[in-house]
Amino acid sequence: MERDVLERLTELKKDFQGDILIDELTRIIYATDASAYREKPIAAVLPKSVDDIKAIVKFAAENNASIIPRAAGTSLAGQVVGNGIVVDVSKYMNKILEVNKEERWVRVQPGVNLNELNIYLKKYDLFFAPETASSTRCMLGGMFGNNSCGAHSILYGSTRDHVIEAKVILSDGSEVTFKPIKKNEFEEKCKGNSLENIIYRKINEILSDPKNQKEILDEYPHQEINRRNNGYAIDQLLKCSVFGKGESDFNMCKLLAGSEGTLAFTVELKLNLLPLFPKVVGVIPIHMNSLEETFEANLIALKYKPGAVELIDNKILECTKVNIGQQKNRFFIKGDPAALLVVEFARDTKDEIMEIASQLESEMRKAGYGFHFPVLFGDDVNKVWSLRNAGLGLLSNIPGDKRPEPFIEDTCVRPVDLPNYMKEFHAILKKNNLDCVYYAHIGSGELHLRPMLNLKDSFDVKLFYSITNEIAHLVKKYKGSLSGEHGDGRLRGEFIPIIIGQHNYELCKEIKKVWDPKNIFNPGKIVDTPKMNTSLRYEVDKGTREIQTIYDFSSTKGILRAAERCNGSGDCRKSDLIGGTMCPSYRATRDEKNTTRARANTLREILTRSKKENPFDHKEIYEVMDLCLSCKACKSECPSSVDMAKLKSEFLQHYYDANGIPLRTKLIAYLPKINSFASNFSIIVNQFLKLKLINKLIGFSTRRKIPLLSKQTFVKWYRKNSGKYSKNNFTKGKIYLFVDEFTNYNEADLGIKTFLLLTKLGYEVIVPKHLESGRTFITKGLLRKAKNIANENIKLLKDFVSEENPLVGIEVSAILAFRDEYLDLVNSDLKPYAEKIAKYSFTIEEFLSSEIKKGKISKDSFTTEKKKIKLHGHCQQKAIASTQPTIEVLSFPLNYQVEEIPSGCCGMAGSFGYEKEHYEISMKIGELVLFPAIRNLDDETLICAPGTSCRHQIKDGVQRAAYHPVEIIYDALIK
């Protein structure tokens, strides 16, 4: 049957405007979402228009296939997992269609990202209020499907409360717009023979019945609980004037919100907007002594009418200690609190918030709750929320197969019931010898509660079910909701009858049947769901395959578990508008296969199930890795710290073992060796390098200029000239200069300026014996050679580098290898030495910044001339180190003004942008932010880029020269 469907899908391509993807890689990357589930789809389609969606709905109905709607794929209950046809609206159906400032509404397509929408709406002084922790990548269609809430739901409610209209495609292919209607309009809608009419009649039949009304009011969650997504929201429809239970108009959008794409396919939404927050926002992250006191303290916090009250427990806080991206956000934490109760206030003045904070602290201390009450404003507020929002991904950093699983994390009760509810919850966990992670929306009575389970183990898979069942009954006892905001999906569907009663569950089944008689829309979600512990991501009791690697993956207990750290949260789907760097090729293409998530899932899937002796020998892995630029951003920006550059490099070595090393790969990897010989004939070699024929022979784009060789290497210059400076009065200390292969052979003048700058500032500069950095071998996947280089460099430098005599590097990607890759490459006996060298290895900017702070470098050494500088930071610098030292050094001369361009990756990434098949996407990445920003600069503004490949990309992309920070600071010296 599946083959027949695929053949007909191929035929559909003729009239389909969007993309139809039918291949094994597509099936792998769309097999999971952010939940614990896995099920391979038949294919994926990416529609461009409403007509495309009508066509695929018609196709599904005619071919007995199902449709799985998908936006960012961040659902936590398996909503976008299934064996049908995935319809991904994220790439093309992402337009903001209309804004009405006066009436305060916006019309959007379902693939519009929440943060991007609110960035766009700022100019109107409006915003869409419901927000989620996944706001950097989640989309409005998914928010509508799951009825998402967010941290501020105590103020703004859920998505359901802000959807005015929804344009949808029904299961018969008809296009319908649902919106608020009066009683007489409702009655008219019940007449006629269209599917829309039949739906209205069925809703009227169900909700007009007094018995049904009583069952709904008696059994559905308590009306005080706004976070409620169990079953279909027929209780919300009862609140309208049509059924005499309220004054509001009838709006079918109330039902569609939270229906998870099981009733219709949403193609457009009209959303209510609100005025922007008051200008002053303050946050009080109250440090708690115990979790238990937090539940009581929450009730005190709510008395002061906060905008949000969130919980972060100590397990998440521990994870933030080792996450590069979150370490800087811990600045306000004092000691080791058992939890943080984060209370946010938005008021017109700072004084108002300080007064509230004082009263709140006084009452808390009087009750014996909390021990530290910092009050934070401005950018510090965003840092606290970043720490909170990273919770989901950070939990994946816990080593081993036991993970905090999100299966009972969505329970919601009234805040006043929370202390007693949590006591009983604790008792259930204790009885089952389980530990748990606690975080999120305590102010609204919903905590994300994640017990630690190993879903590779059959015993824990049974617990997965039994505990959910037990907690469902506990939630019912307090008349709460089992699904507070993340929906039922296939995770909680079978427990819906417990929460809303069997009678009401049968009503939900009737609703599904009338809306979708052929069951084509996202089957197996909400009603008639499979058992919740089936179709899980891992096969039980199979163990985890142990795979020999060159890198040391012991910190994650193997390479497979390193890939498994990806939990599907989708942070890698951020666009250039959101900021950051991860993942450049996704930003340029908006293709799911180019996300870190897709690469990690593909690697995990194939390594787990491959029957080959060399499990890396699969073209699908090569294909999904092809557009990874090894920018390293995922190591810091991914909350789970999935280091895809490391995984790609390891993969390539083993793939080449099976398939051979391409000639171009060898040439690039061995370039330092080639340049070592060619530098003896630099004038002649440079003439050849200028020929386009050379580009063609190598496999480089003819639109690129290959970097030329310096007339003499820096090392040769150093050997000839360093003696001239040996009599200088070096009062500042001694440093060891690491001469990377790029500076030595291609930019010797930069090396000379570095030497002269440091010497003139009073430092003795020694170039110790060492090899090249190995960067080209690491990037191209020749890891065994890179390992040999790393070992040799550590041996050569271990007796020299120290706190007093640090190792300083010029090229970011080369020197940072000591702080990053070397630590996992060197032999175990050399690791202690590698760790020591890593501790005292610095970029030239880091070293100068440190010396400036120590008062060793004076402004008097530099010009007072005015200069404006725009900085583009190197990807690995942002990921492993920071651009802050570069900014500090460049702005040290009295009248030097520095601004950082909010760019991600430049797109060159070493040899990536030179390779003919990657040239176009390389330039497209540059055009996202970097190139337009530089084109807008005047000619007097200097462009600074610490990375050599970045400088070449800027030259090729916008025909402007970019300078290394050393060049700018050297020129600022008073000679």
Side-chain angles (χ1 to χ4, degrees):
M1 180 266 178
E2 183 177 306
R3 186 176 301 168
D4 293 339
V5 172
L6 289 176
E7 288 176 2
R8 295 187 188 114
L9 260 179
T10 303
E11 294 173 7
L12 185 65
K13 281 186 177 183
K14 301 171 190 172
D15 303 315
F16 204 81
Q17 299 174 47
D19 305 334
I20 298 180
L21 309 175
I22 305 172
D23 56 64
E24 182 61 17
L25 180 57
T26 295
R27 298 185 73 203
I28 290 170
I29 65 174
Y30 281 110
T32 59
D33 55 12
S35 69
Y37 293 93
R38 168 190 171 272
E39 193 168 353
K40 281 191 179 181
I42 297 171
V45 300
L46 284 68
K48 279 189 174 180
S49 66
V50 174
D51 286 341
D52 275 356
I53 291 178
K54 287 180 180 178
I56 202 66
V57 169
K58 181 181 178 184
F59 176 90
E62 290 174 351
N63 290 277
N64 196 29
S66 61
I67 286 174
I68 304 157
R70 184 180 175 114
T74 59
S75 293
L76 289 169
Q79 283 95 329
V80 297
V81 173
N83 60 4
I85 301 167
V86 172
V87 182
D88 182 347
V89 298
S90 66
K91 183 172 182 178
Y92 298 120
M93 297 196 70
N94 52 20
K95 309 296 187 300
I96 298 171
L97 303 172
E98 183 183 5
V99 177
N100 188 311
K101 182 178 179 180
E102 289 70 31
E103 296 180 12
R104 297 202 310 219
W105 54 256
V106 61
R107 286 194 307 113
V108 298
Q109 291 182 317
V112 171
N113 167 257
L114 174 59
N115 274 14
E116 289 187 19
L117 173 64
N118 281 332
I119 289 169
Y120 180 84
L121 292 172
K122 272 187 178 179
K123 60 187 176 185
Y124 299 100
D125 294 322
L126 298 170
F127 80 118
F128 182 65
E131 95 286 31
T132 68
S134 58
S135 62
T136 57
R137 62 269 186 203
C138 77
M139 294 169 181
L140 273 302
M143 291 183 69
F144 183 52
N146 288 341
N147 188 34
S148 300
C149 300
H152 295 89
S153 65
I154 56 179
L155 274 185
Y156 301 123
S158 64
T159 301
R160 175 182 290 131
D161 301 314
H162 298 273
V163 176
I164 302 169
E165 296 180 9
K167 182 186 290 185
V168 304
I169 307 302
L170 298 179
S171 59
D172 66 347
S174 59
E175 181 181 316
V176 175
T177 298
F178 292 111
K179 58 185 178 180
I181 55 176
K182 305 292 184 185
K183 187 172 183 178
N184 63 320
E185 294 173 297
F186 179 86
E187 291 169 351
E188 284 301 313
K189 288 285 186 182
C190 292
K191 301 173 183 177
N193 298 315
S194 71
L195 181 55
E196 180 187 10
N197 300 142
I198 295 169
I199 288 169
Y200 272 100
R201 278 202 298 273
K202 186 64 176 179
I203 294 295
N204 187 44
E205 175 191 321
I206 290 173
L207 297 184
S208 296
D209 187 326
K211 180 184 176 183
N212 289 342
Q213 290 183 359
K214 184 176 188 309
E215 286 282 347
I216 292 167
L217 294 174
D218 288 348
E219 296 293 334
Y220 263 73
H222 202 292
Q223 289 297 309
E224 289 181 25
I225 299 172
N226 190 54
R227 289 173 172 270
R228 44 193 309 153
N229 284 323
N230 286 122
Y232 295 129
I234 48 179
D235 60 326
Q236 299 299 304
L237 293 183
L238 271 183
K239 294 180 179 180
C240 70
S241 58
V242 170
F243 302 107
K245 302 295 181 182
E247 297 180 0
S248 63
D249 292 338
F250 180 92
N251 192 343
M252 201 73 82
C253 294
K254 302 289 186 184
L255 181 72
L256 287 172
S259 65
E260 301 177 2
T262 61
L263 301 180
F265 201 106
T266 303
V267 294
E268 188 180 305
L269 293 166
K270 182 178 178 182
L271 306 171
N272 170 59
L273 303 177
L274 295 176
L276 285 174
F277 264 37
K279 292 182 179 179
V280 183
V281 176
V283 163
I284 312 168
I286 304 171
H287 292 43
M288 309 303 294
N289 297 294
S290 70
L291 269 172
E292 289 70 25
E293 73 174 33
T294 307
F295 308 132
E296 299 285 356
N298 174 52
L299 299 176
I300 295 176
L302 289 171
K303 289 164 55 178
Y304 291 85
K305 302 191 183 309
V309 187
E310 296 281 296
L311 172 68
I312 310 174
D313 81 350
N314 63 335
K315 290 184 179 65
I316 292 178
L317 294 176
E318 283 297 311
C319 289
T320 64
K321 291 180 179 178
V322 294
N323 180 270
I324 297 172
Q326 293 301 326
Q327 286 170 351
K328 63 181 181 296
N329 294 329
R330 291 178 48 88
F331 68 97
F332 63 91
I333 297 176
K334 180 179 180 181
D336 284 304
L340 296 177
L341 187 68
V342 182
V343 189
E344 181 188 274
F345 295 97
R347 298 292 189 269
D348 292 325
T349 67
K350 186 175 179 180
D351 288 344
E352 287 180 79
I353 294 175
M354 291 304 297
E355 177 61 28
I356 293 170
S358 175
Q359 294 174 16
L360 176 61
E361 179 178 353
S362 177
E363 187 169 354
M364 287 281 190
R365 288 190 182 277
K366 187 175 180 181
Y369 304 144
F371 65 88
H372 183 49
F373 298 78
V375 187
L376 307 175
F377 296 93
D379 289 340
D380 289 344
V381 171
N382 294 330
K383 292 175 184 177
V384 175
W385 288 125
S386 177
L387 200 72
R388 148 66 185 92
N389 291 343
L392 167 64
L394 289 171
L395 297 174
S396 296
N397 291 340
I398 299 172
D401 292 329
K402 280 206 168 191
R403 299 289 178 88
E405 294 293 347
F407 60 108
I408 51 172
E409 70 152 12
D410 225 14
T411 66
C412 187
V413 297
R414 295 183 303 168
V416 69
D417 293 327
L418 200 56
N420 291 329
Y421 169 78
M422 290 309 304
K423 285 178 186 176
E424 296 192 58
F425 182 92
H426 282 308
I428 292 173
L429 290 192
K430 187 176 181 180
K431 177 180 69 176
N432 289 282
N433 297 311
L434 287 177
D435 196 9
C436 188
V437 175
Y438 305 79
Y439 76 107
H441 317 299
I442 189 172
S444 55
E446 178 184 340
L447 286 176
H448 292 336
L449 308 160
R450 296 192 169 194
M452 302 284 288
L453 291 177
N454 175 11
L455 294 185
K456 297 178 182 179
D457 181 86
S458 57
F459 180 80
D460 278 15
V461 170
K462 290 175 184 175
L463 277 181
F464 187 57
Y465 175 85
S466 63
I467 291 174
T468 307
N469 184 55
E470 199 165 354
I471 295 297
H473 284 91
L474 176 63
V475 170
K476 180 63 174 179
K477 175 182 176 180
Y478 287 92
K479 209 178 182 188
S481 174
L482 189 63
S483 302
E485 65 174 333
H486 294 154
D488 296 315
R490 60 187 308 158
L491 176 63
R492 289 177 274 267
E494 66 175 303
F495 303 104
I496 292 174
I498 297 172
I499 303 299
I500 67 172
Q502 187 64 43
H503 179 89
N504 292 329
Y505 179 66
E506 294 300 327
L507 295 180
C508 290
K509 290 174 72 173
E510 289 182 37
I511 288 170
K512 168 68 173 173
K513 185 69 176 175
V514 76
W515 280 75
D516 185 18
K518 291 188 177 180
N519 199 26
I520 64 171
F521 287 133
N522 214 9
K525 318 301 187 314
I526 301 183
V527 299
D528 297 320
T529 57
K531 296 290 289 184
M532 61 90 74
N533 53 359
T534 57
S535 297
L536 296 177
R537 188 171 294 185
Y538 304 111
E539 294 180 30
V540 298
D541 299 333
K542 295 284 186 180
T544 300
R545 184 173 183 173
E546 300 300 326
I547 301 169
Q548 292 299 311
T549 58
I550 297 151
Y551 270 124
D552 177 9
F553 283 95
S554 60
S555 64
T556 56
K557 298 188 178 182
I559 187 172
L560 189 49
R561 289 186 180 91
E564 289 172 356
R565 291 173 82 164
C566 173
N567 66 355
S569 63
D571 295 71
C572 44
R573 288 178 60 97
K574 291 184 298 183
S575 73
D576 52 286
L577 285 175
I578 306 300
T581 301
M582 179 179 70
C583 176
S585 54
Y586 170 75
R587 293 178 178 218
T589 65
R590 297 295 180 103
D591 287 331
E592 172 69 20
K593 77 170 186 177
N594 294 325
T595 62
T596 302
R597 174 172 70 180
R599 296 177 184 122
N601 281 339
T602 302
L603 197 60
R604 170 192 52 76
E605 171 82 3
I606 293 177
L607 292 185
T608 299
R609 292 175 169 77
S610 175
K611 304 300 181 185
K612 293 185 178 182
E613 184 178 348
N614 179 350
F616 297 95
D617 183 19
H618 290 270
K619 65 178 179 63
E620 287 85 7
I621 306 179
Y622 190 90
E623 183 182 346
V624 79
M625 292 290 185
D626 182 51
L627 295 187
C628 170
L629 281 75
S630 298
C631 69
K632 280 286 181 179
C634 48
K635 182 165 184 174
S636 62
E637 290 183 30
C638 169
S640 304
S641 299
V642 175
D643 188 347
M644 191 49 62
K646 179 180 178 182
L647 293 170
K648 178 183 179 180
S649 190
E650 185 75 44
F651 156 72
L652 285 173
Q653 177 68 84
H654 299 284
Y655 187 80
Y656 293 150
D657 288 345
N659 298 279
I661 306 171
L663 176 61
R664 185 178 68 187
T665 296
K666 286 183 179 179
L667 289 173
I668 295 168
Y670 281 89
L671 189 61
K673 307 293 185 188
I674 296 169
N675 282 344
S676 177
F677 173 76
S679 63
N680 296 306
F681 317 97
S682 59
I683 296 175
I684 298 172
V685 171
N686 283 343
Q687 293 305 311
F688 278 101
L689 292 178
K690 292 176 183 178
L691 300 175
K692 297 296 183 184
L693 178 62
I694 299 297
N695 292 56
K696 289 183 178 180
L697 291 174
I698 296 173
F700 280 178
S701 169
T702 55
R703 287 174 283 186
R704 291 289 189 193
K705 293 179 181 178
I706 297 177
L708 302 179
L709 295 169
S710 299
K711 291 180 181 178
Q712 68 171 328
T713 68
F714 169 68
V715 170
K716 284 183 180 178
W717 180 92
Y718 172 80
R719 289 171 182 165
K720 289 179 185 176
N721 296 279
S722 60
K724 299 175 185 177
Y725 300 90
S726 61
K727 295 180 182 179
N728 281 24
N729 185 19
F730 298 122
T731 59
K732 307 290 181 61
K734 178 170 69 176
I735 67 126
Y736 291 101
L737 184 64
F738 182 81
V739 183
D740 63 88
E741 51 269 43
F742 312 105
T743 302
N744 191 37
Y745 297 118
N746 304 107
E747 296 183 291
D749 286 348
L750 174 57
I752 294 168
K753 285 184 178 180
T754 303
F755 177 87
L756 294 177
L757 172 67
L758 291 167
T759 300
K760 291 181 178 182
L761 290 173
Y763 297 92
E764 182 182 5
V765 180
I766 305 296
V767 175
K769 182 180 179 182
H770 63 77
L771 304 182
E772 69 267 34
S773 71
R775 174 56 58 196
T776 56
F777 292 99
I778 292 169
T779 303
K780 301 313 289 183
L782 304 190
L783 277 190
R784 294 189 186 92
K785 180 63 179 174
K787 184 181 182 73
N788 292 336
I789 292 171
N791 283 333
E792 190 61 24
N793 273 335
I794 297 301
K795 290 175 186 175
L796 290 169
L797 296 170
K798 65 182 177 65
D799 296 326
F800 299 100
V801 177
S802 65
E803 184 175 7
E804 295 76 24
N805 308 125
L807 185 68
V808 177
I810 303 168
E811 168 57 32
V812 175
S813 64
I815 190 63
L816 290 182
F818 285 91
R819 302 226 299 258
D820 186 16
E821 290 93 349
Y822 276 26
L823 296 173
D824 293 326
L825 269 179
V826 297
N827 293 341
S828 57
D829 60 317
L830 292 174
K831 193 153 188 175
Y833 300 111
E835 288 172 344
K836 177 190 172 186
I837 292 174
K839 189 176 180 181
Y840 302 122
S841 295
F842 305 101
T843 65
I844 180 67
E845 303 104 282
E846 287 176 323
F847 173 74
L848 291 174
S849 174
S850 175
E851 296 297 283
I852 287 170
K853 289 173 182 175
K854 293 174 184 175
K856 289 188 175 183
I857 301 175
S858 169
K859 286 184 182 287
D860 294 339
S861 300
F862 299 93
T863 181
T864 58
E865 181 186 353
K866 289 185 178 181
K867 289 283 184 186
K868 288 193 296 182
I869 303 163
K870 282 281 189 176
L871 169 67
H872 165 71
H874 189 281
C875 291
Q876 286 178 303
Q877 179 184 21
K878 295 171 187 173
I880 308 301
S882 170
T883 56
Q884 189 57 36
T886 307
I887 295 170
E888 291 167 357
V889 170
L890 290 173
S891 57
F892 188 64
L894 190 60
N895 292 311
Y896 275 36
Q897 296 179 344
V898 184
E899 288 185 11
E900 186 170 5
I901 299 171
S903 49
C905 179
C906 73
M908 186 66 91
S911 65
F912 180 89
Y914 287 94
E915 294 161 358
K916 61 181 181 181
E917 70 274 23
H918 295 147
Y919 173 79
E920 294 293 346
I921 193 167
S922 168
M923 299 306 282
K924 196 171 182 180
I925 292 168
E927 289 290 355
L928 291 174
V929 177
L930 180 61
F931 292 171
I934 293 177
R935 289 192 190 103
N936 288 330
L937 299 178
D938 56 54
D939 293 339
E940 285 70 39
T941 299
L942 295 175
I943 305 163
C944 179
T948 180
S949 63
C950 303
R951 295 193 292 276
H952 285 283
Q953 175 77 324
I954 291 168
K955 184 68 175 176
D956 285 353
V958 289
Q959 293 75 52
R960 287 282 300 265
Y963 302 94
H964 190 283
V966 163
E967 295 177 285
I968 295 173
I969 293 301
Y970 177 78
D971 289 345
L973 272 176
I974 297 174
K975 306 296 191 289

